[in-house]
Amino acid sequence: MSNTSPTLAQLEQKDTFIRRHIGPGKGEIEEMLSAIGASSLDDLIEQTVPAGIALPEPLKCGEGATEVEALSELKAVAAKNKINRSFIGMGYYDTHVPNVILRNVLENPGWYTAYTPYQPEIAQGRLEAILNFQQVTIDLTGLELASASLLDESTAAAEAMGLAKRVSKNKKANIFFVSDDVHPQTLDVVKTRAEMFGFEIVTGPAEEAAEHDVFGALLQYPTSTGEIKDISDIIAAVQAKKGIVAVAADLMSLVMLKSPGELGADVALGSAQRFGVPMGYGGPHAAFFATRESFKRSLPGRIIGVSKDTRDRPALRMALQTREQHIRREKANSNICTAQVLLANMASFYAVYHGPQGLKTIAERIHRFADILATGLTQKGASKGVALKHSTYFDTLTVMVENKEDVLAKAYANGMNLRSDLDGAVGVSLDETTTREDILALFNVILGDDHGLSVEDLDAEVTTQAVKSIPEELVRTSDILTHEVFNKYHSETEMLRYIKSLENKDLALNHSMISLGSCTMKLNATAEMIPVTWAEFGQLHPFAPLDQAVGYQEMIAELAEWLIDVTGYDALSMQPNSGAQGEYAGLLAIQRYHESRGDSHRNVCLIPSSAHGTNPASAQMVSLKVVVVACDSNGNVDLNDLRKKAEEVGDNLSCAMITYPSTHGVYEETVKEICDIVHEHGGQVYMDGANMNAQVGITSPGFIGSDVSHLNLHKTFCIPHGGGGPGMGPIGVKSHLAPFLPNHTVINVETAGKNCGAVSGAPWGSASILPISYMYIKMMGSEGLRRATEVAILNANYVAKKLEGHFEILYKGNNDRVAHECIIDLRPLKEASGVTELDIAKRLNDYGFHSPTMSFPVAGTLMVEPTESEAKYELDRFINAMISIRQEIAKVESGEWDATDNPLHNAPHTLADICDSNWNRSYDRMLAAYPAPEVHRNKFWPTVNRIDDVYGDRNLICSCPSIESYVEE
Ligand SMILES: *Cc1c(COP(=O)(O)O)cnc(C)c1O
């Protein structure tokens, strides 16, 4: 070493993000390579990935930028968005995100890095928040049973149609009626869904619903243009003919309106966006969905239910069909997997924070502003050709004007957006953020500056005249949100502590690694998250004119270009807002393509037995028949069976859905052959992109030969899982499928198909989380992205190698290598000892870990996916925990420990166990709670003991339990 100081140029060397994202440092990578017997990362990749699929060239995603550079560049792009005051409505409203929720939930990794609560003992916090969401839904809709969020209002409406078909007693009917006053994007999405189900959609005035022979009908309340009508007679008339009635409703208006349940609806659904979730150019937001108790087995999506733990204390868990697509596959109610948990939680916290009285005040103020606006427009409008279309309304006025274009232009010039898609009228929707100045500005725009109106005078008139803009019979008289949780935390201090108390119950990535195979729980870097809550991205309405969204369009286009490069496809759609929605959109494109070639008879989808449950569930949504292809003893698709099935199906083959590397965690050598066989029979290849973390920069679906894939941006591209959503599932396609990508009825998507209906409510799905993936790619660059894949493979192989001799690794590929994940086979141990995979999963909690994926894709196994973000220290800690658990199993096996009186069977251990003065187990408390030395440094306490699933499903409770049930304890 020289004794001179470093030069400035040396000191200026970029602090690259790559080394922050990738867990193991240089030295650790060397150590791990030598532990698995590879000389370099290149050597490992050569040993692992079949030569025939290696990309000949590096990616074209540029050079990695530093965090500082990337943030400042994206800030400049974001600044090109023009934030107008939005009065567009149509299901999206401005809202004040309570700061205590913004910072402590939306911007808090304790909330946003958690996974779907499949391990409820370490997820009671978010389970409680979602249960609160269900309670808000139940109270406001007046129905009995609510689900834990769907993707958006439009897809929730499509799910309601599916439910109607399942439960309607009018079995022969094939018509679904949609009233002509629902939001246009809702009709669009419902039509797309109906097309492939083979349902006929009839639209018309709501009053005509019962004139048709329908299995169901969709109404909207208040209507898209703002009118409030008593729809109870219409509902009854449809039901008299055995049709099911779904009502799309606005959550804020329901605070003041008689509920859909009270009007007789079978289903109520809508968006919870305006409960404190930014518009974000379309999402993510949670949709709510409620129905009758008797339809509980037909409900789409997840439900949180109350059960009890082994100490008989109340404990929450996902109920009933929670894993339904995994179990029921193509018979599942829907393909919903990732939903909108983080946003549902935000909305539920909004209700907790404001409480019933606060919400009433907010709703009444919005409504008062609407009354004031309506009164002013009526008084001064007549002479100017301005008139209100409806005399009833909550917050939305449809204002008939003589020259719509002039009014819109004047609004734009004044930094305001009005609804623009109505004939001879503009729409004005008010919201929580509306001010007196806004009302005056609206008068100026609609009536001209000389209107002479005063908000205060109008308010006095409205007050004394008791304006009846909500029909008397539709005023809510029932109470809402009477549960204690909504009446307790109204000071910020109390709210902060409530949020924190729930966060403390949950294990998220800020505590330890979550090695869920197939889910890719990697770093969600802070620099990636920061832009999400910039106003430039948060406050845009999805239907704002494109010239106000230049920054968004630029960011989306650049991200699309990178993703096209990464996937080796030709075109991309950002519309699907989850992986499963991407599957649906991709299969839809395939079916539209076949139809365009006169091949509408192609209706069979080949799916290997190892596939994720969403694959067959999605196939069902486009009316494909699923034929299962066998896997061989190495876990690979059985080529002979594939050939045989393809031949049997013959001309009816639509497509095959494969996952690569397979869900068994290996790079199949024969993947190109699989594609060839399918193509030879005229089929298309859908490659599930969930395992892209083992492909990026090394190979690609397009290069391998598939035709379409979804990407789970919330797996490979760093969008956090949010405790069960949000996600984004854009699809890439080869050029021949590009004309069949989903478009949008309100905003034309230039890169989409011409006459293709929408699959989501917003044209670019959940656009406001795209900056996360953008930042990731920008900071990693081509080299970093490839390096991430290499280290993901290294980490998985390191875990597999280190567990050798203790556990069986079920499947291996070339040279005994696994891909980016590996499956630990626990069946032989269960056979020998009686210790189950569930015992092991729960015992891992005692060691401070979340369990890996359990029993997928093979029952009785755990699938470990460490990802590239975990350093060697954390991998070793996990490996040591697993080896220690193996030694514990040996004690059960040998009879040294009793079959049930042992720490595996009784896991996880809670403080209640350890402090129990009646502790009478044959093992000691220290072993129970601190089974490894590292645990002392960072103990995580599960807050409930093992939960009784069967009890919970037999005694289904999906609302907040009464206080007494907690007090008993
Ligand atoms: C996660 C996953 C999906 C579904 O994605 P969602 O975003 O949860 O809808 C599909 N296939 C595989 C293999 C997956 O791991």
Side-chain angles (χ1 to χ4, degrees):
M1 283 290 281
S2 77
N3 53 5
T4 56
S5 315
T7 64
L8 179 61
Q10 281 166 339
L11 290 171
E12 277 179 340
Q13 261 190 8
K14 288 178 180 175
D15 181 13
T16 74
F17 172 76
I18 299 171
R19 78 181 179 95
R20 304 294 183 189
H21 175 83
I22 293 178
K26 259 200 184 126
E28 288 184 326
I29 289 178
E30 292 302 323
E31 274 176 63
M32 289 159 67
L33 283 167
S34 99
I36 65 168
S39 61
S40 64
L41 284 172
D42 285 340
D43 179 34
L44 171 64
I45 299 309
E46 227 166 87
Q47 292 177 22
T48 309
V49 183
I53 61 163
L55 288 180
E57 281 175 34
L59 295 176
K60 297 183 204 67
C61 298
E63 203 180 311
T66 65
E67 295 184 30
V68 174
E69 289 164 352
L71 278 171
S72 94
E73 278 180 43
L74 185 57
K75 190 82 186 174
V77 173
K80 298 181 191 174
N81 289 334
K82 185 170 184 315
I83 306 297
N84 276 5
R85 296 283 291 125
S86 177
F87 301 96
I88 297 172
M90 302 175 83
Y92 304 90
Y93 308 86
D94 206 355
T95 175
H96 290 303
V97 186
N99 289 312
V100 64
I101 297 171
L102 176 71
R103 175 155 297 188
N104 298 289
V105 181
L106 183 56
E107 297 180 337
N108 179 353
W111 285 96
Y112 66 68
T113 69
Y115 191 66
T116 310
Y118 284 126
Q119 299 292 335
E121 294 84 0
I122 51 171
Q124 290 293 301
R126 55 191 187 279
L127 284 164
E128 179 170 327
I130 313 172
L131 191 74
N132 293 344
F133 178 76
Q134 292 177 180
Q135 188 67 54
V136 172
T137 306
I138 288 169
D139 282 4
L140 288 172
T141 62
L143 280 153
E144 294 153 347
L145 185 72
S147 78
S149 84
L150 292 177
L151 294 168
D152 61 25
E153 176 165 334
S154 303
T155 54
E159 295 293 346
M161 174 174 68
L163 179 141
K165 186 66 189 174
R166 288 191 291 279
V167 303
S168 166
K169 298 257 160 60
N170 190 1
K171 290 292 171 209
K172 284 174 305 194
N174 196 43
I175 296 175
F176 188 69
F177 179 88
V178 182
S179 80
D180 55 12
D181 48 21
V182 307
H183 293 316
Q185 72 272 21
T186 297
L187 177 61
D188 192 2
V189 170
V190 169
K191 270 185 173 164
T192 308
R193 193 76 66 92
E195 175 192 326
M196 285 295 155
F197 275 139
F199 302 154
E200 188 187 336
I201 296 292
V202 173
T203 59
E207 289 71 16
E208 291 175 10
E211 290 170 17
H212 307 273
D213 183 28
V214 302
F215 64 82
L218 175 69
L219 311 177
Q220 188 163 323
Y221 172 77
T223 67
S224 182
T225 55
E227 189 178 19
I228 306 174
K229 288 186 289 200
D230 187 347
I231 47 177
S232 50
D233 289 346
I234 303 172
I235 294 174
V238 174
Q239 288 167 340
K241 297 173 78 179
K242 296 184 182 149
I244 297 294
V245 182
V247 173
D250 170 73
L251 207 54
M252 188 62 82
S253 71
L254 292 185
V255 172
M256 296 183 70
L257 296 181
K258 199 170 204 179
S259 69
E262 290 166 302
L263 299 177
D266 299 294
V267 177
L269 60 97
S271 169
Q273 179 266 319
R274 66 193 306 183
F275 273 33
V277 181
M279 288 187 284
Y281 204 42
H285 318 126
F288 62 86
F289 192 99
T291 188
R292 297 178 188 283
E293 176 91 30
S294 50
F295 299 153
K296 66 186 178 192
R297 304 231 168 241
S298 282
L299 196 79
R302 311 176 177 125
I303 327 174
I304 306 308
V306 186
S307 184
K308 57 178 189 176
D309 72 358
T310 53
R311 300 185 77 86
D312 270 344
R313 297 176 301 181
L316 309 176
R317 53 185 264 292
M318 298 200 286
L320 295 180
Q321 62 269 67
T322 277
R323 307 203 58 127
E324 67 145 5
Q325 330 101 18
H326 286 287
I327 297 157
R328 303 188 53 196
R329 301 177 79 87
E330 69 270 26
K331 292 185 193 69
N333 289 328
S334 82
N335 69 343
I336 300 281
C337 185
T338 289
Q340 303 282 19
V341 168
L342 188 69
L343 306 313
N345 288 344
M346 285 180 72
S348 85
F349 281 130
Y350 178 92
V352 168
Y353 190 49
H354 289 299
Q357 202 48 55
L359 285 181
K360 258 182 222 160
T361 306
I362 292 169
E364 282 174 9
R365 191 179 64 234
I366 295 171
H367 182 59
R368 173 56 60 93
F369 273 132
D371 274 338
I372 289 170
L373 184 65
T375 306
L377 291 177
T378 309
Q379 282 178 9
K380 300 284 161 133
S383 59
K384 312 194 175 201
V386 170
L388 299 186
K389 179 136 188 230
H390 311 301
S391 59
T392 59
Y393 50 80
F394 166 66
D395 64 352
T396 297
L397 305 178
T398 295
V399 187
M400 292 178 295
V401 291
E402 262 167 15
N403 196 332
K404 178 175 125 181
E405 293 312 318
D406 285 353
V407 174
L408 288 173
K410 192 159 180 210
Y412 294 141
N414 284 283
M416 298 154 76
N417 290 346
L418 310 180
R419 178 171 180 177
S420 64
D421 67 327
L422 304 169
D423 270 346
V426 294
V428 183
S429 284
L430 307 181
D431 58 52
E432 186 192 2
T433 69
T434 301
T435 61
R436 294 176 188 215
E437 290 72 36
D438 289 333
I439 301 297
L440 279 183
L442 286 165
F443 284 144
N444 292 344
V445 162
I446 298 170
L447 298 171
D449 298 344
D450 57 349
H451 55 76
L453 291 165
S454 130
V455 171
E456 292 69 28
D457 292 348
L458 288 166
D459 180 45
E461 282 177 47
V462 170
T463 310
T464 51
Q465 288 170 13
V467 172
K468 294 266 182 310
S469 47
I470 297 178
E472 196 99 55
E473 73 278 13
L474 294 177
V475 172
R476 180 181 282 264
T477 52
S478 53
D479 285 335
I480 55 165
L481 309 180
T482 55
H483 279 83
E484 190 188 20
V485 69
F486 302 108
N487 293 281
K488 210 172 166 183
Y489 308 111
H490 299 160
S491 77
E492 182 162 332
T493 301
E494 285 298 323
M495 188 66 196
L496 182 68
R497 289 178 189 154
Y498 179 58
I499 292 172
K500 181 67 185 169
S501 74
L502 297 189
E503 182 195 339
N504 283 346
K505 296 179 179 189
D506 289 13
L507 191 146
L509 275 177
N510 60 351
H511 177 85
S512 60
M513 119 177 167
I514 302 180
S515 60
L516 285 164
S518 211
C519 304
T520 315
M521 301 290 288
K522 57 164 70 174
L523 171 73
N524 316 117
T526 312
E528 292 155 7
M529 294 301 294
I530 282 174
V532 172
T533 47
W534 286 346
E536 295 93 320
F537 286 133
Q539 283 180 14
L540 232 71
H541 190 289
F543 306 154
L546 282 178
D547 61 8
Q548 294 175 20
V550 173
Y552 254 118
Q553 292 303 322
E554 207 174 298
M555 186 262 298
I556 291 171
E558 184 153 27
L559 177 59
E561 199 175 304
W562 288 332
L563 295 177
I564 284 171
D565 181 38
V566 163
T567 53
Y569 284 126
D570 303 312
L572 189 114
S573 167
M574 286 290 185
Q575 201 172 97
N577 44 18
S578 76
Q581 285 296 93
E583 292 172 19
Y584 165 64
L587 293 175
L588 194 60
I590 289 176
Q591 288 310 81
R592 284 170 173 168
Y593 166 76
H594 285 317
E595 265 166 36
S596 76
R597 296 157 46 95
D599 277 352
S600 31
H601 54 278
R602 293 190 174 270
N603 65 349
V604 175
C605 177
L606 300 177
I607 301 184
S609 57
S610 61
H612 195 268
T614 53
N615 293 182
S618 299
Q620 174 274 134
M621 289 171 66
V622 293
S623 295
L624 286 172
K625 280 191 214 122
V626 174
V627 171
V628 176
V629 179
C631 289
D632 65 20
S633 58
N634 297 319
N636 298 328
V637 171
D638 182 336
L639 279 194
N640 289 329
D641 195 47
L642 177 74
R643 252 188 225 106
K644 188 170 138 250
K645 298 272 163 69
E647 263 152 38
E648 279 170 16
V649 170
D651 245 11
N652 290 333
L653 181 64
S654 161
C655 57
M657 291 183 93
I658 58 173
T659 305
Y660 198 74
S662 75
T663 52
H664 287 148
V666 289
Y667 293 94
E668 288 169 287
E669 290 277 341
T670 52
V671 62
K672 283 194 158 178
E673 237 179 301
I674 294 176
C675 295
D676 290 344
I677 294 170
V678 174
H679 286 146
E680 276 162 26
H681 289 84
Q684 296 281 294
V685 178
Y686 186 102
M687 186 181 283
D688 183 319
N691 287 346
M692 274 304 287
N693 217 43
Q695 288 197 37
V696 179
I698 286 180
T699 183
S700 76
F703 185 70
I704 290 170
S706 58
D707 302 285
V708 43
S709 301
H710 71 265
L711 296 170
N712 297 66
L713 296 188
H714 47 299
K715 294 180 179 169
T716 319
F717 296 93
C718 298
I719 292 175
H721 287 256
M728 269 295 277
I731 56 170
V733 293
K734 290 265 172 76
S735 57
H736 64 280
L737 293 178
F740 308 102
L741 290 174
N743 210 320
H744 195 276
T745 181
V746 183
I747 299 282
N748 182 52
V749 180
E750 229 167 75
T751 54
K754 283 277 171 304
N755 295 308
C756 298
V759 297
S760 298
W764 291 278
S766 298
S768 68
I769 51 176
L770 292 176
I772 303 168
S773 300
Y774 177 97
M775 284 289 291
Y776 174 61
I777 297 176
K778 181 108 196 154
M779 295 189 294
M780 294 295 274
S782 305
E783 226 172 278
L785 289 173
R786 182 182 161 102
R787 177 56 54 91
T789 310
E790 292 168 349
V791 176
I793 294 166
L794 171 67
N795 279 1
N797 278 284
Y798 180 72
V799 171
K801 186 82 184 174
K802 287 288 197 172
L803 290 178
E804 223 169 64
H806 306 280
F807 295 93
E808 287 294 322
I809 302 299
L810 190 53
Y811 300 116
K812 287 181 177 170
N814 269 351
N815 302 305
D816 268 359
R817 297 296 183 202
V818 297
H820 66 311
E821 57 193 6
C822 62
I823 299 178
I824 305 174
D825 191 357
L826 304 171
R827 292 168 299 185
L829 295 176
K830 185 166 165 182
E831 181 86 354
S833 67
V835 175
T836 66
E837 65 277 13
L838 197 64
D839 296 335
I840 298 171
K842 304 303 173 189
R843 184 61 174 151
L844 273 167
N845 299 165
D846 290 334
Y847 285 81
F849 286 103
H850 191 289
S851 166
T853 300
M854 208 179 64
S855 292
F856 170 77
V858 182
T861 64
L862 292 180
M863 179 157 63
V864 184
E865 180 184 0
T867 83
E868 71 278 9
S869 296
E870 297 302 339
K872 179 169 173 294
Y873 166 78
E874 185 72 354
L875 300 180
D876 285 337
R877 214 167 63 79
F878 175 77
I879 289 160
N880 291 338
M882 286 301 294
I883 293 173
S884 174
I885 288 174
R886 178 64 189 90
Q887 287 157 358
E888 293 179 351
I889 297 168
K891 291 185 181 165
V892 181
E893 212 172 336
S894 71
E896 187 185 332
W897 281 354
D898 181 78
T900 56
D901 184 8
N902 71 61
L904 292 150
H905 184 81
N906 293 320
H909 295 86
T910 58
L911 270 169
D913 290 334
I914 304 303
C915 301
D916 191 337
S917 47
N918 291 324
W919 176 269
N920 55 5
R921 309 222 173 122
S922 63
Y923 55 97
D924 76 37
R925 297 173 197 213
M926 207 59 180
L927 176 72
Y930 291 91
E934 294 88 7
V935 180
H936 287 271
R937 242 188 288 176
N938 192 17
K939 174 64 186 170
F940 184 87
W941 287 102
T943 52
V944 296
N945 286 87
R946 207 179 294 188
I947 299 177
D948 190 337
D949 277 324
V950 176
Y951 178 87
D953 281 350
R954 284 216 186 112
N955 307 277
L956 189 67
I957 302 174
C958 301
S959 50
C960 295
S962 64
I963 309 153
E964 297 77 58
S965 62
Y966 283 106
V967 175
E968 270 168 37
E969 191 203 340

